[in-house]
């Protein structure tokens, strides 16, 4: 009995010591983990669920923490440009057109990475669909769009540069209030063509409309949402943005090469089922050929900037040139570091080839990047 009691007390002491040791070790690990977080980023997001799967995957998979970054993601409704320009957030992923106009007019915004390309279709009433599938029949027609959205400027780019039509003379644009208004106008035939986001295809069809083409049929890598930074923070905390981009490059590899895992990750984050993610994010036939490469694609954005100048939305004589508020070096340095970290991964080397072909119009590109 006494011997058993002694053993019991000894076992209890050992157990207590083991628990204390584990607690100390856990505290040490937690302390170490906290000390490894070197950077912080306040990121603004819009209510739209799918503008940047790379950010979502990086956040869910711990890639931000891998590079010493904590990210506080704030939902800011439908417009992050103004809070960003005022420094209320460090970065955002939203549009491109409003931000180009703001940047040209000396607002404190800097473009530094990509978010989404494509993602918009062209709709028409089913009675006129066959005729309007041929863009040669667009002369004299009216296109419904949301003023100064990417699709609006992209269609004007197509009309003027590819079809040789003068806006307001050979082809007309009608500005509507929101996406549902476009689909209803197509049904009433008060417009001939309209810009259609994938989320509104069912509404289009319910109003007698059909999809006749995608924007990417005319602009294969149509630039949509970009990632932007508050310029003073961007200049002062460059390493923070490098960590942010590096995590997204890893996430983009997952997105492209580990589809099954990424679908599950995104479905959980969005609060949707797998079918939603496949339909809205992965299936090009259903999502109007959306792409999510984090590359900044300076060449594509420059095309939009030049169109805005031609249309008078940006004063070409007094506005800041695009390179003054567009940075490709952070993405380039991020990708170089990833390639060095994963030298056997061909995927990242292919991203560098993409970077070269889509950013080579940037000033002194050959000198700095080739």
């Amino acid at each position: 009995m006494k011997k058993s009691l002694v053993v019991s007390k000894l076992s209890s002491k050992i157990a207590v010591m083991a628990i204390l040791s584990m607690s100390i070790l856990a505290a040490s690990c937690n302390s170490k983990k906290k000390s490894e977080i070197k950077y912080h980023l306040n990121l603004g997001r819009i209510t739209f669920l799918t503008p940047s799967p790379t950010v979502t995957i990086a956040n869910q998979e711990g890639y931000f923490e891998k590079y010493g970054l904590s990210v506080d993601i704030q939902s800011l409704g439908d417009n992050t440009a103004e809070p960003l320009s005022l420094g209320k957030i460090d970065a955002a992923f939203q549009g491109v057109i409003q931000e180009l106009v703001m940047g040209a007019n000396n607002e404190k915004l800097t473009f530094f990475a990509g978010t989404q390309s494509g993602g918009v279709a062209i709709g028409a009433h089913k009675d006129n669909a066959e005729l309007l599938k041929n863009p040669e029949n667009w002369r004299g027609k009216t296109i419904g769009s949301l003023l100064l959205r990417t699709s609006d400027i992209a269609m004007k780019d197509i009309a003027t540069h590819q079809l040789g039509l003068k806006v307001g003379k050979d082809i007309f644009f009608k500005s509507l209030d929101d996406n549902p208004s476009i689909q209803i106008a197509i049904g009433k035939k008060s417009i001939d063509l309209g810009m259609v986001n994938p989320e509104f295809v069912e509404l289009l069809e319910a109003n007698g409309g059909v999809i006749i083409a995608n924007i990417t049929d005319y602009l294969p890598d149509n630039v949509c949402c970009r990632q932007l930074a508050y310029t003073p923070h961007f200049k002062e905390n460059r390493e923070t943005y490098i960590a942010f981009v590096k995590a997204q490059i890893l996430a983009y590899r997952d997105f492209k090469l580990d589809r099954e895992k990424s679908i599950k990750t995104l479905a959980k984050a969005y609060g949707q089922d797998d079918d939603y993610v496949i339909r809205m994010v992965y299936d090009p036939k259903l999502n109007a050929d959306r792409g999510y490469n984090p590359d900044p694609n300076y060449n594509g954005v420059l095309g939009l900037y030049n169109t805005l100048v031609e249309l008078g939305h940006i004063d070409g004589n007094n506005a800041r040139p695009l390179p003054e508020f567009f940075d490709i070096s952070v993405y380039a340095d991020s990708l170089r570091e990833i390639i060095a970290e994963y030298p056997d991964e061909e995927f990242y080397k292919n991203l560098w080839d993409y970077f070269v072909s889509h950013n080579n119009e940037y000033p002194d590109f050959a000198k700095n990047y080739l």
Side-chain angles (χ1 to χ4, degrees), residues 254-255 257-266 274 282:
D254 285 0
F255 177 79
L257 302 186
D258 197 345
R259 173 172 166 155
E260 185 175 344
K261 175 185 174 184
S262 295
I263 288 172
K264 297 294 183 185
T265 298
L266 293 170
D274 291 2
Y282 272 100

Side-chain angles (χ1 to χ4, degrees), residues 259-317:
R259 173 172 166 155
E260 185 175 344
K261 175 185 174 184
S262 295
I263 288 172
K264 297 294 183 185
T265 298
L266 293 170
K268 181 179 180 181
Y270 297 155
Q272 300 285 340
D273 58 22
D274 291 2
D275 287 343
Y276 175 89
V277 175
I278 294 169
R279 187 172 72 254
M280 290 293 107
V281 178
Y282 272 100
D283 192 330
K285 293 181 180 178
L286 297 177
N287 67 20
D289 198 21
R290 279 180 180 153
Y292 297 100
N293 193 324
D295 186 284
N297 194 348
Y298 173 81
N299 297 0
V301 178
L302 179 62
L304 291 175
Y305 179 90
N306 290 338
T307 299
L308 286 165
V309 172
E310 292 169 12
L311 295 172
H313 297 299
I314 291 176
D315 182 352
N317 295 320

Side-chain angles (χ1 to χ4, degrees), residues 22-180:
M22 290 173 64
S23 299
I24 292 169
L25 180 62
S28 174
C29 290
N30 288 337
S31 176
K32 183 179 179 182
K33 186 174 181 180
K34 286 181 180 178
S35 68
E36 288 174 349
I37 299 297
K38 298 177 288 184
Y39 315 113
H40 181 74
L41 194 75
N42 289 313
L43 180 65
R45 70 176 299 273
I46 58 175
T47 51
F48 181 52
L49 281 180
T50 64
S52 186
T54 59
V55 171
T56 302
I57 293 171
N59 192 41
Q60 295 294 316
E61 296 298 321
Y63 294 149
F64 292 134
E65 289 85 351
K66 172 181 169 66
Y67 294 112
L69 175 68
S70 66
V71 177
D72 179 18
I73 302 177
Q74 305 172 40
S75 183
L76 298 174
D78 294 327
N79 188 350
T80 59
E82 184 176 345
L84 183 65
S85 69
L86 296 174
K88 294 181 179 180
I89 50 177
D90 302 311
F93 47 96
Q94 188 189 7
V96 60
I97 302 301
Q98 178 187 358
E99 291 76 6
L100 279 173
V101 174
M102 292 173 69
N105 288 295
N106 295 308
E107 295 287 349
K108 296 176 181 178
L109 304 175
T110 298
F111 289 79
F112 69 94
T115 301
Q116 181 180 304
S117 62
V120 179
I122 303 168
H125 195 279
K126 60 185 178 182
D127 294 346
N128 305 317
E130 286 303 314
L131 175 72
L132 296 175
K133 282 181 180 178
N134 184 350
E136 292 182 3
N137 295 322
W138 292 3
R139 182 179 292 273
K141 298 299 187 286
T142 298
I143 300 176
S145 65
L146 304 180
L147 184 65
L148 287 180
R149 295 290 181 90
T150 311
S151 55
D152 176 56
I153 301 302
M155 276 297 287
K156 289 171 181 174
D157 185 349
I158 293 165
T160 54
H161 297 131
Q162 295 189 31
L163 305 180
L165 302 175
K166 187 173 181 180
V167 174
K169 181 179 179 182
D170 304 315
I171 193 167
F172 305 92
F173 282 77
K174 183 176 182 179
S175 177
L176 296 170
D177 293 335
D178 50 36
N179 282 290

